[in-house]
Every structure is written in C-alpha cells, then in structure tokens.
Amino acid sequence: MRSKLALFLILPLLLLTPGCWDLQDVNDTAFVLGIGIDSPSNSDTAKYKVTFEFAKPLSTRENPKAQSLAASMEADSILQAIQRMQASISRRISLSHLRLVAIGEDVARTENFQYLTNYIMREPDMALRLRLVFVQNAEARQFFYTNPRFENRVAAEMVAMGMLQKELDLNRTNNFLDFIIDLNRTKGVALGSRVSIQKGENVVVRDGAAIFKDWKLVAWLSADEAQASNWLLEKTLAVVVAKEKENTYTYRVRKKDTKFKPVLDDGKPSFVVAVSTEGMVMEEAGKDIDFSKPENLKKMEELFNQAISQQVKSAIDKSQKELKADYLGFDKAFQKYHSEAFEFLNWSEIYPTIPIQVQVDCKIKAYGLHK
Amino acid sequence: MSKEIHASEDRLHTRALIPLLILTIVEYEVFTFSKATVAAAKQDAWLSILIGAIIGSFFVYLFIKLAARFPNKSYFQYLPIVWGKPLGFLISNLYLLFWLALLSSIFYETLLANKMLFLPQTPTIIPLILFALSLIWLVSYGLVPMIRFFQLLLPFLAIPLLLLALLFTTTIKIDRFLPVLESGLLPVIKGSYYSLGAFQGPEVLLFAAPFFLRIKDGVKSSLLAYNVTAFFGWSNTVAAIGILGVQNINESVLPGIDVVNLVEFPGFPVERFGLLLTLPWLIGIYATLAIYLYLLCSSTFYLFNLRPRNWITFFITAIPVTIAYFLPNEAWHELLRLYLTFVTVPIVYILPVMTLLLAVIRKKGRST
C-alpha cells in the first residue's frame, strides 16, 4: 500500500520532465554562426560595433538552400550588443553554434585583444573551438556581406577553408584558442589568421597573417611573408619557386622538419635553425635540365637550399629587425632547453639582437612523371 | 540500513568491487581533473597523476589488508577496537564531517553544472531536490542493491569516457607538455599529493567489506578499479594540458567541459563532443552522491544508536543540499574543494593505514 502511495506521489513529478524552463525549440531560436567586432561609428555612444551572422533556414518548398542574415548592433560590451540585438529579432539568440569570430582592422589596432574576447572565454553556451580571422583594410561587418563561393554562409565557408588550409602554407591557420595561448605565453605577441576582401567579386581571400604585439594588431604579413614564417611555425607543406637567371623551377615539399637549436654561451643566447625537406621538382620553365643525372639534382638541391634559406632569413629579419616581436616561437624553443636561464632574461628586449643562423638541407626525391 | 552493517546473508563477489570503486571515485574532479594538480605541477601534472596512482595503489592494497583483518565488520565498528573508544568515536565523527563537506561540494557542482550547462533557465533548487529525492530512494535500499545497480551503470560510464580518451588523441599538441620537469621534481611531488587528494572514494572499501564474500581476495579487483579511474583522470589531464594549455586550465571554471568541446575530429569540423560527457557525468555524480549519502546516513545511525527512519535520512540529506544551495558563490566552493583535496590524504589514506599498523601492533583482528 505504501509503495503504491509513493508511486502516486512521484507520478506528478513526470510533469516536470519536459523541462518547461529550458525548452529550446529550434524553430524559436536564432543560431549565431559568426560574430564580427568593429570600432563603432561614434565612439562617444558605444565601444564596439558587433555584427551577427544568423542561420536563416528556409522551408524546402521555398528554397532548398539555407541562407544567412547579418545584422549589426553598437554597444559598450559584446553581451550588451547581444541583448540589444535580441530586442530587434523575434527568436531567442543562441551562441551554441558560433563557429567564427572576425575582428575588423580598426578595433584590432586600438583595443587590447584580451578585452575584446573576454566575453567569449566566459560564455558557457559557446564551444571554444572557434575560427578567428582578422579582416585587413575593412570592417568585420563587410566580411559578413561577402559572397561565399561554395558554402551558403560566410562562417561555413571559413570553417571549411580552415579545415583545408592546414595543408596550405600561404596563411596562418591557428584557431581562436591557439591564438590566445600564444598571446598569454608571450604577454601579447602572436600571429593570427588574415582575411581580405577582393573588391570586384566581393569574395574573401584567406592568406597572410596578422601580427600582434602588446595585445594589439601592429602589422600584416603578405601571403609570401606568411609562407616564409611558416617554415618556422607550421607543419604545412610548402611550394618553393627558385629562379636562376631566366630559368624558374618549382619544388613541392612532401616532408618538412624544422629544428630550433638554442645555444647559451656565457649567458648570451643564440640559435641555429635547421630546416630539412624532402620533395619533388614539379615544374621547370627555361633551360631544360635532365633530372635523371644525379649531379643535376645536386645543383637543383643547392638552388632550393638558397631559396628556402632566403625565405627563412627574411621571416626572421622581419620579426627581429622590423617588428622586434618574437611571433616565430623562439622563446618557446629556448625555454624548452634552458628554462632556468629563460626566467632571468627579458626576452622582448634581447630578442631583436639574438644571432640566428639558418641551415637548410633540401632533398629532391623525385621529379614527377617527366624527366 | 544499520541492519546491513551486520549483514552476511546477501554477500557479493569481489568482482563487484570494480563498479563500486570506479563509480565512487569518478565524480566531478576526475572528469574535470584536479585543477590543484595542474596549478602545482603545470605541464608535468600528467607525471604527478602517474606517481599519485602508484602511491594510491599501495594504499588500496593496504586497505584490503585492513579490511581482511576484520572481514565481518565495517570500519567504524573496528575503529574503537583498534584505537580505543574515545579516539575511535572522534575519528568516526571526523569522517562524518568530511563526507558532509564532500557531499556539499558535489551537490554544489551539480547545481553549478545545471546552472551553466544543462538547465540554465530552470530554478536551481528544482533539479537539486529531484536529485536528492531520487538519492534518498536509492539509499533506502541499502548497499548491496546499490552496488548491483552500479554494475548495470558501469558500461554507460566507461564506454563514453574511453571513446573520449581516443578522440583526445586527435587534438593534443605535444609542445604544450614542454619543457618537462621545468622546475624540478618538487612541484611534481606536490602535484602528486593533490592528485591523490582528488581521488576520494577508496575508503568505501573499508565500509563495504562486510558485504563481500572473501574481501581478502579483492586485491586485484580493487587495484584494477583504482587504476582505471586513475587512467580516466590521467587521460583527461593529458588532454586538458595538450589541448587547452596550462594557463587556460588555471583560468577555466570547468576545464574538463572546455576540453571536450575543443576536440576536433577530421571530417567533423563543427560537431560538439561535449555531449559525450553528459551521461558519464550524470552517472558518476549520482553514484558518488549515493554512496557518500549512504555512508553518512548509515554511519550516523550506527554511531548515535538511532533507529533507521526515513525522516532522519531526509533530514541528513537536507544538510548538504542546504549548504550547497546557500554557498555564496563559486569562489567559496573553489576554496572548499581545495581544503577537501588537502585533507583527503590524511583522512582517506593515512588514517586507515595507521589503523592497520596499530591493529598489527596491538594484535587486533585476524592476521592475514
């Protein structure tokens, strides 16, 4: 009898199981796929202009494609912008599917990155697996109004590009969290992903890199400069073009290994950077060389050694002499071998003067299907 | 419940120690691992956990030896025999306080996870009360049915966690573990202490021993169970360091959840694997709460000579629930967790070993 009574008392609890408070109907939700952050049009009234790219599913009868909707709001904080945006749309904003954060050049140059993204790090609704891009010479808002070439939404195009471009050496491919980890480690120095908008076609090109120093954007790297930096930073496989007089040869790297060898001599650090590659000659224009002769291959290897060495040296020079910021990760390599000495060094101060020697060992293993 | 302390008719095979130990030890801190370990040992925390697991295994072996000296008695029944009545009573009360604090902490974590992740709009008291009511119902059946229930739950906890351990390997970055032993061995040893402190639960062996047929044969099962939980803790810590990085772990409130949401599997660019954690989390928390609530209630009945009554169980359950509900904020809870981690080693590990030593010296119990 008692158990029946208990069952009778427990049964009404079933009414609570649908969870009225947390009911989330997809049809009543506005999923944000991308967020863009820019400087406001009037800095007296707001601190940021936040652009949202919402998924806008249409019925299959209307249009088989699902499209997106972009809208901007100005506010003093990101959360306030979300709140204000909520006042202008009929569905509850959800950040659970946010995949992309785009930062406009203007705000990236003036605002500390830590403050810009503080909300993103705190919001439990969001997964931190975000793509982060910095928009050169434009607002992040404009970026969300570009025409994606293959996907239906800009955010989806960027996510797909991010997956593919891990193998492309013309850009920096780190995601949001990796960028934050680099910034924290170096107290404000890091290399992020660059995007630019091709004006005529209004499409996005993702190449090059954005350089951060003291938590703010200070310079851009072009695609070629990013490729040069990637010899030291990424595992991406390069395509190297070497020129000798009128002749041009193209080498596709199939295997790459870069080693930083830090040396501490009488308290003074120096480095040897050893790059070794294996790959194939895939294109030649000009004087026809018979690659089946080992001595010719040896000459070619020398040529590519010089080309790669020049690229690596130019990347180091840019970082040491021009920008005076260690975004290439020499600090990490030094700390790995000399952690005690590292604690007593003012790295940002000594980095521009550290002697760095470059050694390249390029091997040509094949030359495609033609001699 | 007090009747079951003397129970001998419905005894379990020592294999049942595996679900009992795994489900008791696995709770919030094993999922999200001990942040104190990472704070102390930084990128070498994985090494701390391995050292902690070796030391912990030795303790678990000694627990079985202690339980085997008093095969028909629970820990609180032979504490007065070994330590004398006044000291035995004092030590028992120390355990009650420890469990009360631990239950409060776990109830708070349940509340926090609901508030932030699962049911953010629902008033926090509703899921808390529902959780507590279902726990009282389970606890009222006693330890043996609880362990049988755990046997059924174990695969639902272990399989998603093993799957996650595999998924982690796709995203971990090795350079985040470098340099190894950056500040020497001392922080690693300190981390081992915290790691051991994060593994509350092995003491349940000492209370459950009378319900097992031949507890002295339980060494293999107990060590297996303990090391499986150590592996879960280790793989989660390795994943967190390799994916999230030490600084982000120290700044994150729920690093375990962040890590799972950061896992990226080739070909699945937008999937959130955090959902894989929901079921093991619920099972782990529920089972740990159930065991500790059982220990708290049955021990209170035994120590204070009370007749087991449902209203007393309700009252005892209400204490940690109330503490959890009225805990002012997360900062207070983090402090409570840190203290708990710190006192776990002396209470959970050292005291039983001292009891064993004293029992051997004073020739109490069966020699094994």
Side-chain angles (χ1 to χ4, degrees), chain A residues 163-300:
Chain A
M163 295 300 282
L164 178 75
Q165 288 180 342
K166 280 178 181 168
E167 290 160 23
L168 187 70
D169 68 329
L170 296 175
N171 57 1
R172 178 74 170 142
T173 59
N174 58 349
N175 62 22
F176 179 82
L177 192 78
D178 290 331
F179 186 73
I180 297 268
I181 287 173
D182 283 350
L183 280 177
N184 285 335
R185 197 192 73 244
T186 55
K187 296 186 177 64
V189 176
L191 205 59
S193 237
R194 177 187 82 155
V195 292
S196 51
I197 301 166
Q198 277 189 356
K199 292 283 185 250
E201 292 177 84
N202 197 27
V203 294
V204 173
V205 178
R206 189 183 172 186
D207 64 5
I211 300 169
F212 268 66
K213 192 180 170 185
D214 296 329
W215 306 94
K216 289 176 186 169
L217 175 74
V218 290
W220 300 101
L221 290 187
S222 67
D224 288 342
E225 288 170 327
Q227 188 192 32
S229 299
N230 278 341
W231 286 108
L232 303 155
L233 284 168
E234 305 256 12
K235 290 193 168 139
T236 49
L237 300 178
V239 170
V240 184
V241 178
K243 287 180 181 171
E244 188 194 35
K245 295 173 189 163
E246 299 300 309
N247 311 313
T248 306
Y249 305 97
T250 308
Y251 170 66
R252 185 163 73 194
V253 178
R254 302 289 295 264
K255 210 168 147 189
K256 176 178 107 180
D257 185 31
T258 303
K259 284 195 169 71
F260 292 75
K261 296 174 185 168
V263 181
L264 188 65
D265 188 14
D266 201 19
K268 288 179 181 167
S270 62
F271 280 91
V272 175
V273 175
V275 181
S276 57
T277 66
E278 279 182 19
M280 295 196 282
V281 176
M282 290 303 291
E283 209 173 323
E284 58 175 330
K287 190 180 158 192
D288 199 17
I289 292 177
D290 183 0
F291 288 122
S292 62
K293 290 184 178 167
E295 62 270 21
N296 285 345
L297 278 186
K298 190 77 191 159
K299 276 183 200 162
M300 274 293 110

Side-chain angles (χ1 to χ4, degrees), chain B residues 119-198:
Chain B
L119 301 164
Q121 309 292 324
T122 307
T124 47
I125 193 72
I126 303 287
L128 205 59
I129 287 178
L130 289 177
F131 227 60
L133 285 175
S134 64
L135 282 166
I136 293 167
W137 166 77
L138 181 62
V139 165
S140 68
Y141 282 93
L143 192 63
V144 176
M146 277 167 70
I147 296 173
R148 295 202 195 285
F149 182 53
F150 291 171
Q151 283 178 303
L152 290 172
L153 291 181
L154 184 62
F156 298 100
L157 175 114
I159 293 169
L161 285 183
L162 288 172
L163 193 64
L164 272 177
L166 274 176
L167 280 174
F168 287 148
T169 57
T170 60
T171 315
I172 287 173
K173 291 190 174 164
I174 301 294
D175 65 330
R176 299 211 172 128
F177 295 92
L178 301 173
V180 178
L181 295 177
E182 185 185 5
S183 310
L185 206 60
L186 199 65
V188 177
I189 303 292
K190 201 175 157 192
S192 299
Y193 182 88
Y194 287 123
S195 154
L196 212 56

Side-chain angles (χ1 to χ4, degrees), chain B residues 83-149:
Chain B
W83 290 86
K85 272 191 179 174
L87 264 178
F89 186 74
L90 267 177
I91 294 171
S92 305
N93 278 290
L94 191 68
Y95 275 94
L96 293 191
L97 275 176
F98 175 74
W99 292 333
L100 194 64
L102 184 65
L103 277 166
S104 307
S105 169
I106 303 175
F107 271 121
Y108 181 83
E109 283 149 6
T110 313
L111 186 147
L112 183 76
N114 276 327
K115 199 158 54 181
M116 298 229 282
L117 302 167
F118 301 127
L119 301 164
Q121 309 292 324
T122 307
T124 47
I125 193 72
I126 303 287
L128 205 59
I129 287 178
L130 289 177
F131 227 60
L133 285 175
S134 64
L135 282 166
I136 293 167
W137 166 77
L138 181 62
V139 165
S140 68
Y141 282 93
L143 192 63
V144 176
M146 277 167 70
I147 296 173
R148 295 202 195 285
F149 182 53

Side-chain angles (χ1 to χ4, degrees), chain A residues 22 96 99 125 129 178 332, chain B residues 122 173 175-176 263 271:
Chain A
D22 280 286
S96 58
R99 291 291 170 268
D125 203 18
R129 210 179 60 185
D178 290 331
K332 200 160 60 176
Chain B
T122 307
K173 291 190 174 164
D175 65 330
R176 299 211 172 128
V263 168
E271 274 67 19

Side-chain angles (χ1 to χ4, degrees), chain A residues 125-145:
Chain A
D125 203 18
M126 248 182 253
L128 283 176
R129 210 179 60 185
L130 301 167
R131 263 69 186 175
L132 173 72
V133 292
F134 297 94
V135 188
Q136 189 180 16
N137 293 329
E139 283 194 329
R141 184 177 191 279
Q142 290 166 263
F143 165 76
F144 285 109
Y145 284 96

